[in-house]
Amino acid sequence: MGLLDGKVAIVTGAGHGIGRGHALELAKQGAKVVVNDLGGSVRGEGAGRAADETVALIEKRGGTAVADYSDVGDFEQCGELIGRAVDAFGKLDILVNNAGIVRDAVIWNMPPEDFDAVIRVHLRGTWATCHHAAKYWRAAAKTAGGKVPGRIINTTSGAGLGGNFGQSSYAAAKAAIVGLTQTLALELLRTGVTVNAVGPAGLTRITATIPGMGEAFEPDEVPEGEFHPMDPSNSSPLVAWLASDEADHVTGQVIRVVHDRLIWMRGWTERRTISSGNKRWDATKLGDLLAQDVFETRGPGLKFAQS
């Protein structure tokens, strides 16, 4: 018995790398999987049939899957993708948004069309699939007269959470996906749908574009039972668990998986607060206040508590 027996899942960007790892793991846990991938290059150029390779791997291992070649940056095609799962398997339970491209450059060298292309796939693509899935699940909940156990797992990254030189488009998209995830967790709570984000790590086609990282490899190239710290599928067991009924109490969370570590992230929090004493701030005095009482870049000297 698998964690996901009887479930139907969509995994976008599942032709290679992390997405392939997710699709293989979901199928291993019993889900029927729609393997989505446009089949383009790491820059998002061209098209192909990489999804067929992942489907063949799933079927070889005894699972059930169908291929889909929709462009997640296209709103209408995203609607057709949701319909593909329902037409093929009768319903949709799980949406894993993993599709992505990179067109890295420092901001002064980045053409606006490259920025737009990256935002289109990562952010618009995630939003569009979530939009159509949310409409499907809301209608299903109304028909059932209650909640539905839908699951959305989105993909963020270390670049989006902490920034990375030369990746202003990619980092902006991945940071925005966190805000989208947390907002959708609130909007879909009463429907019964959970929405979480995972920050994976692995030596994928995207990672391999970084100088010195080495050549990418696929998760199915790692022998069964062996561990590789840069295996693109290291986060896939977490994705499978978040997609299961066991995780119905977890929503609006960001969890990273880096090598052998699972890291529960905490978002922006109030780090230090000072008060103006119900008076307008004086810009000429802010420098001293910030240096002494906020950033602590200057010693404040002795201060005595007021009685």
Side-chain angles (χ1 to χ4, degrees), residues 2 19 27 39 49 57 79 85 89 156 159 167 173 204 215 232 244 250 263 269 279-280:
R49 291 293 184 262
L57 286 167
F89 302 123
T156 185
Q167 289 195 313
T204 66
E215 293 186 11
S244 74
V250 181
I263 309 159
T269 57
K279 294 182 293 185
R280 181 180 173 83

Side-chain angles (χ1 to χ4, degrees), residues 15 45 47 62-63 78 86 115 117 141 223 236 259 262 299:
E45 298 163 333
C78 285
V86 177
F115 178 88
S236 299
H259 301 164
L262 189 152

Side-chain angles (χ1 to χ4, degrees), residues 103-115 164-169 172:
R103 296 190 181 185
D104 292 348
V106 290
I107 193 165
W108 52 88
N109 287 335
M110 182 178 291
E113 55 269 22
D114 282 1
F115 178 88
N164 194 35
F165 188 91
Q167 289 195 313
S168 59
S169 57

Side-chain angles (χ1 to χ4, degrees), residues 250 252-256 261-267:
V250 181
Q253 304 303 314
V254 179
I255 307 171
R256 296 189 70 195
R261 295 177 296 140
L262 189 152
I263 309 159
W264 179 33
M265 301 298 292
R266 176 163 48 181

Side-chain angles (χ1 to χ4, degrees), residues 50-111:
D52 293 345
E53 300 173 18
T54 303
V55 169
L57 286 167
I58 290 172
E59 292 178 340
K60 183 179 179 180
R61 299 178 183 190
T64 302
V66 296
D68 179 89
Y69 316 110
S70 300
D71 174 4
V72 297
D74 185 296
F75 181 77
E76 299 300 330
Q77 289 187 43
C78 285
E80 293 168 1
L81 172 58
I82 302 305
R84 173 85 165 131
V86 177
D87 291 343
F89 302 123
K91 61 174 182 172
L92 174 66
D93 301 292
I94 302 157
L95 171 62
V96 181
N97 283 304
N98 171 77
I101 64 171
V102 288
R103 296 190 181 185
D104 292 348
V106 290
I107 193 165
W108 52 88
N109 287 335
M110 182 178 291

Side-chain angles (χ1 to χ4, degrees), residues 208-225:
T209 63
I210 301 173
M213 288 301 298
E215 293 186 11
F217 62 93
E218 299 291 352
D220 50 286
E221 296 174 15
V222 179
E224 186 73 24

Side-chain angles (χ1 to χ4, degrees), residues 48-296:
R49 291 293 184 262
D52 293 345
E53 300 173 18
T54 303
V55 169
L57 286 167
I58 290 172
E59 292 178 340
K60 183 179 179 180
R61 299 178 183 190
T64 302
V66 296
D68 179 89
Y69 316 110
S70 300
D71 174 4
V72 297
D74 185 296
F75 181 77
E76 299 300 330
Q77 289 187 43
C78 285
E80 293 168 1
L81 172 58
I82 302 305
R84 173 85 165 131
V86 177
D87 291 343
F89 302 123
K91 61 174 182 172
L92 174 66
D93 301 292
I94 302 157
L95 171 62
V96 181
N97 283 304
N98 171 77
I101 64 171
V102 288
R103 296 190 181 185
D104 292 348
V106 290
I107 193 165
W108 52 88
N109 287 335
M110 182 178 291
E113 55 269 22
D114 282 1
F115 178 88
D116 291 343
V118 172
I119 295 295
R120 177 182 180 274
V121 175
H122 287 276
L123 181 55
R124 178 184 169 88
T126 297
W127 180 88
T129 55
C130 287
H131 169 90
H132 291 291
K135 291 187 71 172
Y136 168 80
W137 281 319
R138 276 176 53 82
K142 289 178 181 178
T143 300
K147 297 182 177 182
V148 294
R151 299 283 183 269
I152 297 175
I153 298 105
N154 294 326
T155 305
T156 185
S157 76
L161 298 170
N164 194 35
F165 188 91
Q167 289 195 313
S168 59
S169 57
Y170 179 78
K174 288 305 189 184
I177 286 171
V178 172
L180 174 64
T181 296
Q182 294 177 323
T183 298
L184 296 185
L186 298 173
E187 293 182 349
L188 294 173
L189 181 63
R190 292 187 179 180
T191 309
V193 176
T194 65
V195 190
N196 294 286
V198 169
L203 189 41
T204 66
R205 295 190 305 162
I206 286 180
T207 313
T209 63
I210 301 173
M213 288 301 298
E215 293 186 11
F217 62 93
E218 299 291 352
D220 50 286
E221 296 174 15
V222 179
E224 186 73 24
E226 292 189 14
F227 174 77
H228 190 296
M230 292 298 284
D231 181 350
S233 70
N234 281 342
S235 63
S236 299
L238 171 64
V239 169
W241 182 79
L242 287 171
S244 74
D245 291 340
E246 285 187 10
D248 62 356
H249 61 294
V250 181
T251 194
Q253 304 303 314
V254 179
I255 307 171
R256 296 189 70 195
V257 178
V258 180
H259 301 164
D260 64 345
R261 295 177 296 140
L262 189 152
I263 309 159
W264 179 33
M265 301 298 292
R266 176 163 48 181
W268 289 103
T269 57
E270 295 183 1
R271 189 168 173 179
R272 184 69 58 80
T273 303
I274 59 174
S275 171
S276 67
N278 292 317
K279 294 182 293 185
R280 181 180 173 83
W281 293 106
D282 183 340
T284 65
K285 296 179 180 178
L286 272 178
D288 287 340
L289 288 171
L290 290 170
Q292 294 171 7
D293 298 334
V294 178
F295 304 134
E296 295 182 355

